[in-house]
Amino acid sequence: SQLSEEVAKLQNAIQVSEETVAALKDELEAAITSRTQLSDQVESLQKTNDDVAKQLSEKEATLEESNSNIAALKEDASSASSQLANRVSELSNAKLAAEKTVATLEVELEAATATNTQLSDQVLSLQSVNDDVTGQLREKETALEKSESTITTMEEASSAATSQLSEEV
C-alpha cells in the first residue's frame, strides 16, 4: 500500500516534470524565434547603415567636386583680366549655386551623420538585447537539461519501484 502510494507520487512527479519540460520547450522555442527576429533586425539595420554610409560618401564626393569647381572658377577669373567683367558675373552665379549646393550638402551630411549615429545606437541596443536573449536561452537550456535529467532519474526510480513491486507480488 505504501509502495503503491510512492509509485503514484512518482507518477505524479513524472507528469509534473513532463509538463514543466513542455513549458520550458515552448519558452525555448519562443526565445529562439525572438533571437532570430532580432538577428534579422540587426541585419536590416546594418544594411540601412551601409546604405546611409554609401550615400554619405557620395555626398562628400559631390561636396569635394563643388569645392573644386569653386577653386577652378576663381583661378580662371584671376588669369583673364580682359574678361573680368563677364567672368565676375558668371563666377558670382556659380559661387551662389555652389554655396547653395554646399549648404544643402552640409545639411544632408548632418542629417546622414545623425541617422548613422542613431542606427549605430540601435545596432548596439539590439546587440545588447540579443546578448540578453542568448543568456536567457542558455539558462532555459540548462534548466531543460536539469528537468530532463530529473525525469530520467524519476523514470529509473519508478521502474525500479515497479520491478520491486512485481517481485513482492
Side-chain angles (χ1 to χ4, degrees):
S1 170
Q2 183 180 2
L3 186 56
S4 296
E5 289 176 15
E6 286 185 32
V7 168
K9 286 180 184 177
L10 286 174
Q11 288 174 340
N12 286 340
I14 289 171
Q15 182 179 357
V16 168
S17 294
E18 288 173 347
E19 291 170 2
T20 302
V21 167
L24 287 173
K25 283 182 181 177
D26 290 345
E27 288 180 29
L28 179 60
E29 288 173 6
I32 289 170
T33 300
S34 176
R35 180 180 181 189
T36 301
Q37 290 172 345
L38 287 173
S39 294
D40 291 348
Q41 288 176 349
V42 167
E43 184 179 323
S44 175
L45 287 173
Q46 185 61 47
K47 184 180 183 298
T48 301
N49 191 22
D50 291 345
D51 291 345
V52 169
K54 181 181 175 187
Q55 290 174 357
L56 179 60
S57 178
E58 291 170 357
K59 299 293 182 187
E60 288 173 345
T62 303
L63 178 61
E64 284 181 21
E65 184 180 334
S66 294
N67 286 336
S68 177
N69 288 342
I70 291 170
L73 289 172
K74 286 181 180 179
E75 268 185 52
D76 291 344
S78 67
S79 70
S81 61
S82 63
Q83 299 174 355
L84 186 59
N86 292 338
R87 295 293 286 160
V88 166
S89 176
E90 292 173 8
L91 287 174
S92 184
N93 290 337
K95 182 179 177 188
L96 289 175
E99 286 175 349
K100 278 185 178 181
T101 301
V102 168
T104 300
L105 289 173
E106 286 175 344
V107 168
E108 291 176 0
L109 178 61
E110 287 177 15
T113 301
T115 300
N116 190 24
T117 300
Q118 290 172 348
L119 289 173
S120 294
D121 292 345
Q122 290 175 354
V123 166
L124 290 174
S125 175
L126 287 172
Q127 286 172 340
S128 175
V129 169
N130 189 26
D131 291 345
D132 291 346
V133 168
T134 301
Q136 291 173 2
L137 181 60
R138 285 189 186 118
E139 290 174 9
K140 289 181 180 188
E141 287 173 343
T142 301
L144 180 61
E145 288 172 6
K146 287 180 182 177
S147 294
E148 288 174 346
S149 175
T150 302
I151 288 171
T152 301
T153 303
M154 288 180 170
E155 287 174 344
E156 291 170 358
S158 174
S159 177
T162 303
S163 293
Q164 185 179 4
L165 181 62
S166 294
E167 289 174 10
E168 288 178 8
V169 169

